[in-house]
Amino acid sequence: FYSLKDLINHVLSSSSIRMLKRPITVHIRDNLPRVPVDAMLLQEVIHNLIDNAVKFTPPNTPIDISAQVVNDNVVVSI
């Protein structure tokens, strides 16, 4: 079980994401439940979603990342 906040912060600290030069805001509560995931695969998915957000939005558009519990699921939005 992994902390989504930690996984997302790890992706954001990677050099390729830092070079995007976009304002990125993360809205994830500290008490969000840990999730059973393949950490490496999920980090790759998050990286790709952020990269797509950069490619398909106007320059300087902020990127917001959030996660919340909906019913019994954790939903991540980028």
Side-chain angles (χ1 to χ4, degrees), residues 21-39:
K21 308 253 188 228
R22 289 286 186 102
I24 299 176
T25 306
V26 179
H27 304 281
I28 300 177
R29 296 183 331 222
D30 289 332
N31 64 346
L32 192 72
R34 292 179 171 266
V35 291
V37 296
D38 180 318

Side-chain angles (χ1 to χ4, degrees), residues 8-72:
I8 290 169
N9 284 333
H10 179 74
V11 171
L12 293 176
S13 68
S14 75
S15 60
S16 60
I17 293 295
R18 283 196 316 260
M19 293 185 325
L20 297 176
K21 308 253 188 228
R22 289 286 186 102
I24 299 176
T25 306
V26 179
H27 304 281
I28 300 177
R29 296 183 331 222
D30 289 332
N31 64 346
L32 192 72
R34 292 179 171 266
V35 291
V37 296
D38 180 318
M40 295 300 288
L41 288 177
L42 184 58
Q43 287 177 75
E44 185 177 339
V45 168
I46 292 166
H47 181 277
N48 290 339
L49 289 171
I50 293 169
D51 190 49
N52 285 343
V54 169
K55 287 179 186 175
F56 299 108
T57 58
N60 299 318
T61 302
I63 297 171
D64 293 322
I65 303 171
S66 63
Q68 61 185 359
V69 176
V70 177
N71 299 322
D72 289 332

